[in-house]
Amino acid sequence: MRLSDDAVAAELFAAHYGRLAGWCRRLLDDDNTASEIAMEAFTRLLGRLRKVDDPVGYLYVIAANLVRDHWRKTKRERDGMRVLQHERPAEHGSGDPELRGLVEQLPERLRIPVLLYYYAGFPIGDIARLTNRPTGTVKSDLFQARAVLRKALEGTR
């Protein structure tokens, strides 16, 4: 007997919401926004539940994109406030940049594997399947991302 979409969704929510919301919380350092993003990821999954092969992976990819969108929105708001206050943005590389900001600046092809591997704990094979890329490409992207982040972090010391 096949479970209804509602039953499947309820099982997925019960099994994965806490972990997904916690992952978002670590990325955002904001409980409310993390909960909203986790709920939005589940809402988007419900609309495509029958079309998605890996619902858990889909949740994390959607949440990663929503987190990135939140970071961009927050940056635009900060930049807008600087303009309103006639402040100049801090020079790039000055101060001690947060790792989250550096990850946000990575190109999407590097950023998504970093978020899925280091923050969500997905194995490389799953990331390859979720992003429709060969395992070797994912490994190479993670290597490149580490090099970019290492160089950026060394520049601040």
Side-chain angles (χ1 to χ4, degrees):
M1 183 171 143
R2 184 174 159 99
L3 293 174
S4 70
D5 286 351
D6 290 341
V8 171
E11 278 186 29
L12 282 168
F13 187 84
H16 298 285
Y17 175 78
R19 183 172 177 227
L20 180 66
W23 179 70
C24 292
R25 168 70 171 88
R26 285 191 307 273
L27 291 172
L28 297 168
D29 199 27
D30 177 358
D31 288 332
N32 291 332
T33 305
S35 294
E36 288 175 12
I37 286 176
M39 289 300 290
E40 178 65 21
F42 272 97
T43 301
R44 291 184 185 190
L45 172 64
L46 289 177
R48 299 185 46 89
L49 192 56
R50 290 180 184 249
K51 300 174 187 170
V52 174
D53 292 332
D54 181 4
V56 176
Y58 182 84
L59 284 171
Y60 279 88
V61 170
I62 292 301
N65 288 331
L66 291 170
V67 165
R68 183 196 67 229
D69 291 346
H70 175 77
W71 286 343
R72 285 181 180 161
K73 179 184 175 195
T74 303
K75 182 182 181 319
R76 282 192 306 266
E77 289 171 353
R78 281 192 314 262
D79 291 347
M81 288 304 294
R82 282 190 191 110
V83 169
L84 290 174
Q85 296 172 354
H86 304 289
E87 291 181 8
R88 287 179 24 156
E91 293 294 319
H92 182 69
S94 66
D96 189 28
E98 296 178 0
L99 183 57
R100 182 177 71 203
L102 294 173
V103 170
E104 176 186 349
Q105 294 173 12
L106 289 172
E108 185 172 349
R109 77 175 177 82
L110 300 179
R111 183 180 52 250
I112 296 297
V114 166
L115 291 173
L116 292 174
Y117 185 76
Y118 289 106
Y119 291 93
F122 276 86
I124 290 174
D126 288 353
I127 297 168
R129 187 172 30 79
L130 291 169
T131 58
N132 282 334
R133 294 164 52 207
T135 302
T137 301
V138 172
K139 288 179 183 179
S140 175
D141 290 344
L142 288 169
F143 178 83
Q144 289 176 10
R146 284 190 301 268
V148 168
L149 293 171
R150 185 179 309 112
K151 183 176 179 182
L153 289 170
E154 287 173 357
T156 64
R157 293 182 185 169

